[in-house]
Amino acid sequence: MRNLPLSGVRVLDFAHMMQGPWAAEMLADLGADVIKVEVVGTGERGRQSGTTFLDGISAQFLAMNRNKRSLAVDLKTEAGVRVAEALLATADVLIQNFRPGVMERLGLGWERVRELNPRLVYCTASGYGSDVPDPRKPGQDLLAQARTGTLWLTGTADDMPTPCGPFVADVHAATMLALGATAALLEREHTGRGRLVEVDLVGAMLHQTVQEVVAAVNSGEPPRRSTVPGSAYIEAPYGVHATVDGYVAVSLATMEALADGLGAPDLLERFPDKEAATAGRDELNALVAGLVATRATRDVLDALDAAGVWCAPVNDHQSMTTDPYVRWDRRRLEVEHPVAGTVELVGNPITLDGQTLPARRPAPLLGEHTVELLVELGLDVDELLADGVVEVPADGRAGR
């Protein structure tokens, strides 16, 4: 696809793990030239993250770092900082999620960088933001879920506080960071100046649970989780129910439709309206569970769907790929990685003029583009390599 919206925008990705790198990948998908600025030797921490590795390459790293180039540089040296400053002079956006004070000690904090490049949009991702008792306290997705009440929204009434499966705080924080960066770039067209954009995990988690938080703080009533996995704030039978060969997810439905779909007219007599379904949520869930437990998933879905009940099968990741409403063939991207081989990735959900955003390159090897970028900047490649200031892949894939 030609002429992507952010073509010509250069982003420096100083971030690690998920929140910052994924925000940078979102910008890269939209056409930005994203340069991962990584520490020599090990690279950013995401290269070692997770439990699944493909020929030694972290699957999590592969998932969040496509469409980027990698420059490995020792920022603890004066020469390394000069390399970073040369990059900054060419950049439009910087993304970082180090603990407070790290970038300042490197001479790359907001105040210093805005002097070097007043047009730069400087994006900082953190766990808690700056106005907390100890800004250096470790922040992470699970901890953000725990502090914001989110663990009381997942699972059933009998479960202990339960984390969401995906890293939802990181996901939303990354999305908000990318949104903030693009908004600041748009504003810069009018003002000529950059901005400091800040997003933290706690704020993102609260923003993501806006319905539940507003309900709880204004009513004074804590969430009451259902007897089936679902929502603390929606009446039965909303949630997941077991069948004889799997599970079905039942979403929104009138009681008339539910009774019709399950062939149980007595449900409508017992629960004639939403108020009755809300007050008797536990009883209604138990009745629905009993009605579907002896039936096949496909039979239940067909009957509910015909009656107008919103429902879906509960897929695992393998069955997801064949679900005609998921359309995995349209959601997936495929790249050839020099070490991991052929890798399937999840595509960006944005389409432009009916076309999906392309995977222009796989996640980079550490320092894969060091030489290429130094040449672009007009710096002395041989001297920087000889002094150990920068690094290239040992197998020579960086090229000269």
Side-chain angles (χ1 to χ4, degrees):
M1 183 188 296
R2 296 181 178 179
N3 301 320
L4 288 165
L6 295 182
S7 294
V9 172
R10 173 165 285 185
V11 178
L12 304 185
D13 176 8
F14 284 83
H16 55 273
M17 299 301 286
M18 185 171 187
Q19 183 184 4
W22 204 17
E25 182 183 271
M26 293 178 195
L27 301 179
D29 284 348
L30 289 165
D33 175 21
V34 176
I35 300 168
K36 283 192 72 68
V37 182
E38 303 187 70
V39 64
V40 297
T42 59
E44 70 113 321
R45 289 168 54 196
R47 290 185 180 275
Q48 292 82 45
S49 67
T51 57
T52 302
F53 290 80
L54 307 177
D55 288 326
I57 307 296
S58 164
Q60 291 180 214
F61 183 83
L62 291 169
M64 291 179 286
N65 289 283
R66 66 167 172 259
N67 292 334
K68 302 180 184 181
R69 297 191 283 172
S70 171
L71 169 67
V73 57
D74 185 355
L75 295 175
K76 294 182 179 179
T77 66
E78 291 184 6
V81 172
R82 287 196 295 272
V83 171
E85 290 177 346
L87 272 176
L88 284 166
T90 70
D92 299 286
V93 178
L94 180 152
I95 296 175
Q96 68 91 14
N97 61 346
F98 289 107
R99 289 190 188 181
V102 172
M103 289 293 275
E104 285 74 12
R105 288 196 298 273
L106 294 172
L108 300 172
W110 161 240
E111 295 298 336
R112 170 60 177 153
V113 167
R114 71 191 298 192
E115 294 177 359
L116 297 171
N117 184 350
R119 290 177 54 83
L120 186 81
V121 174
Y122 193 105
C123 300
T124 292
S126 66
Y128 308 108
S130 57
D131 297 327
V132 292
D134 181 5
R136 290 181 53 78
K137 195 173 189 65
Q140 189 268 339
D141 189 285
L142 176 61
L143 307 182
Q145 290 189 48
R147 287 185 179 274
T148 56
T150 307
L151 299 190
W152 291 105
L153 300 174
T154 306
T156 68
D158 294 330
D159 291 335
M160 62 189 294
T162 305
C164 302
F167 296 104
V168 289
D170 274 313
V171 167
H172 194 56
T175 305
M176 290 295 99
L177 200 64
L179 176 61
T182 51
L185 286 172
L186 180 62
E187 181 194 44
R188 192 183 70 175
E189 293 299 305
H190 305 287
T191 65
R193 299 189 303 275
R195 283 271 197 178
L196 173 62
V197 178
E198 298 177 281
V199 175
D200 64 88
L201 293 175
V202 165
M205 197 66 252
L206 290 171
H207 186 251
Q208 191 167 198
T209 54
V210 58
Q211 297 180 97
E212 296 81 4
V213 171
V214 168
V217 299
N218 285 280
S219 69
E221 298 178 2
R224 188 176 72 86
R225 291 182 293 177
S226 177
T227 51
V228 299
S231 170
Y233 289 99
I234 298 182
E235 69 276 6
Y238 187 96
V240 176
H241 300 269
T243 65
V244 71
D245 60 350
Y247 299 89
V248 295
V250 178
S251 180
L252 304 180
T254 64
M255 288 309 301
E256 291 85 355
L258 182 67
D260 181 24
L262 293 178
D266 54 316
L267 284 182
L268 187 56
E269 297 174 9
R270 174 68 184 84
F271 305 97
D273 50 34
K274 177 177 178 177
E275 288 71 23
T278 301
R281 183 170 67 170
D282 293 349
E283 180 185 356
L284 178 54
N285 276 329
L287 292 171
V288 171
L291 288 167
V292 304
T294 58
R295 300 173 63 179
T297 298
R298 187 71 266 160
D299 291 343
V300 173
L301 292 172
D302 288 345
L304 292 177
D305 192 52
V309 176
W310 296 9
C311 59
V314 178
N315 295 326
D316 59 20
H317 285 129
Q318 290 303 313
S319 56
M320 171 275 293
T321 64
T322 60
D323 188 319
Y325 288 92
V326 173
R327 289 306 306 268
W328 175 241
D329 59 314
R330 294 184 180 180
R331 314 288 185 180
R332 65 185 288 278
L333 296 173
E334 188 173 287
V335 295
E336 290 296 327
H337 189 272
V339 175
T342 302
V343 180
E344 285 187 279
L345 300 172
V346 178
N348 192 301
I350 296 172
T351 63
L352 298 176
D353 299 327
Q355 296 186 56
T356 57
L357 301 178
R360 305 186 306 278
R361 63 174 89 232
L365 300 175
L366 176 60
E368 182 176 349
H369 305 96
T370 295
V371 172
E372 174 182 309
L373 288 162
L374 293 178
V375 170
E376 288 181 17
L377 295 171
L379 300 176
D380 190 326
V381 177
D382 292 325
E383 180 180 352
L384 291 167
L385 284 170
D387 292 343
V389 175
V390 297
E391 181 181 2
V392 298
D395 59 8
R397 284 193 173 98
R400 291 303 299 267

